[in-house]
Amino acid sequence: MQWVRKPVASGANDAPLTESTWVTPGEELCEEAGFLRGHGTFVKDGMLVAAVAGVVERVNKLVSVRPYKTRYAGEVGDVVVCRIMDVGAKRWKVDVNARQKGILLLSSINLPGGEQRRRTAEDQLNMRQFYVEHDVLSAEVQTFFADGAMSLHTRSLKYGKLCCGTLVTVAPSLVRRAKQHFHAFEFGVAVIFGMNGYVWVGPATEPAAADPKAMDVDGATESAPVDVPLHVRERVCRVRNALVLLDSLYLPVAATTVQSLYELSVEANVSAWEMLLPENSLSLAEKLRTSGQLGAARRVHGDE
């Protein structure tokens, strides 16, 4: 990453316009001639200028700035972690960290036992047997309504209600898109990386800790709470603090970076609660940078 003190590019063939270029509001990016103005930019005295703080993105001649602090916009197919806010007629309103509440329709969930049939008035009366206010669940973005609100669905065994874990909030722009957002680490902790910036951390269910479906995410029924051993809770706390550290330092949030921070903290003999102390967090971040995992996370993000 580099901080620029002069125009980032002066011609159509200049190379510095990459995702590693950070800019601040009012910083000149390039000459207007030969480029197209994208989101997060404006024209001043013949120059494209950054309107927000973030990372420069270039697609051919289109130059835009992706801000780090922004609400989740959403795309069809995104895996999200959300919270039920309201139970209405044939639908639930959910918090997806976006400008509007998301909608989960009654017809977009699994019925008990995986039964396939039309939803009836009895199902509508029993909606609170599925989800109630403040329930946390994983879902997928199905489509968008005319007003811009996103419609979700949980019609899969890997989606549904979550329990026995903790919810961590990070900047949505830091979450890297991956082929698999359900990740179970070898040390017995399972994580759901929601593209909306909500990340769920919980113990992986035995016996197959590496299986994404091993997590308690069955949308049809809610599993009974289990007694999580103390050493597993400490590991969950360590992963949670690794996510908080990545968010506070504006580093990519991905399975590779989380696992690297976890292993580095264990090697340094730093306890879970000490990871967020200023002296320890800066030391761990520097070791993470030198390990090369940050570049790997960015390359994976760029390939997809």
Side-chain angles (χ1 to χ4, degrees):
M1 294 177 292
Q2 59 178 347
W3 292 93
V4 291
R5 302 299 180 187
K6 58 183 179 179
V8 179
S10 57
N13 297 323
D14 288 352
L17 284 177
T18 64
E19 283 201 18
S20 61
T21 304
W22 286 43
V23 293
T24 54
E27 204 156 0
E28 294 181 347
L29 302 178
C30 57
E31 296 179 358
E32 182 186 7
F35 288 97
L36 298 176
R37 181 172 64 88
H39 293 291
T41 64
F42 63 94
V43 179
K44 181 180 180 181
D45 298 331
M47 298 290 293
L48 281 182
V49 181
V52 296
V55 173
V56 176
E57 290 186 339
R58 176 181 176 183
V59 180
N60 295 328
K61 294 184 178 181
L62 178 65
V63 179
S64 58
V65 178
R66 174 168 53 89
Y68 270 110
K69 291 295 184 180
T70 182
R71 285 285 186 172
Y72 172 64
E75 295 182 14
V76 174
D78 280 356
V79 175
V80 297
V81 177
C82 51
R83 187 188 298 273
I84 300 294
M85 301 302 294
D86 185 33
V87 182
K90 299 184 181 179
R91 65 185 60 195
W92 293 268
K93 289 186 177 181
V94 297
D95 174 22
V96 290
N97 198 24
R99 293 181 177 86
Q100 302 183 61
K101 295 291 188 294
I103 302 297
L104 177 63
L105 298 175
L106 178 61
S107 58
S108 299
I109 69 169
N110 279 336
L111 293 175
E115 186 178 359
Q116 300 292 331
R117 59 174 175 79
R118 293 177 62 89
R119 306 314 190 250
T120 63
E122 183 179 357
D123 294 325
Q124 185 175 351
L125 293 175
N126 296 330
M127 285 179 59
R128 289 186 178 273
Q129 294 183 7
F130 300 105
Y131 304 121
V132 296
E133 289 85 349
H134 307 299
D135 278 348
V136 179
L137 61 146
S138 61
E140 181 179 319
V141 179
Q142 182 178 20
T143 185
F144 287 85
F145 294 106
D147 60 352
M150 61 185 71
S151 175
L152 311 177
H153 81 87
T154 61
R155 288 192 296 265
S156 174
L157 292 180
K158 65 180 181 180
Y159 301 132
K161 190 181 299 186
L162 303 170
C163 69
C164 299
T166 181
L167 183 65
V168 185
T169 302
V170 301
S173 58
L174 297 179
V175 181
R176 293 316 190 213
R177 191 178 304 277
K179 294 180 180 178
Q180 181 59 261
H181 285 262
F182 293 77
H183 193 85
F185 295 100
E186 296 178 353
F187 42 80
V189 177
V191 180
I192 302 178
F193 294 93
M195 287 299 299
N196 58 334
Y198 290 162
V199 182
W200 180 262
V201 184
T205 308
E206 298 293 342
D211 185 0
K213 295 183 181 179
M215 299 185 65
D216 180 18
V217 290
D218 186 359
T221 59
E222 179 183 7
S223 301
V226 296
D227 186 14
V228 181
L230 178 60
H231 69 279
V232 177
R233 297 187 185 188
E234 291 178 350
R235 294 172 183 174
V236 171
C237 293
R238 190 178 294 273
V239 173
R240 180 263 179 195
N241 287 346
L243 290 164
V244 174
L245 194 154
L246 291 171
D247 178 64
S248 63
L249 298 179
Y250 297 99
L251 298 177
V253 176
T256 54
T257 54
V258 171
Q259 183 170 355
S260 296
L261 266 183
Y262 181 96
E263 295 173 349
L264 289 172
S265 64
V266 173
E267 293 174 0
N269 199 23
V270 176
S271 62
W273 69 271
E274 293 176 329
M275 289 178 62
L276 298 181
L277 295 179
E279 59 273 16
N280 292 331
S281 62
L282 294 177
S283 175
L284 292 173
E286 184 61 29
K287 292 179 181 179
L288 181 63
R289 288 190 178 97
T290 57
S291 67
Q293 292 298 330
L294 292 179
R298 291 192 179 96
R299 285 194 296 272
V300 171
H301 176 61
D303 292 342
E304 297 184 1

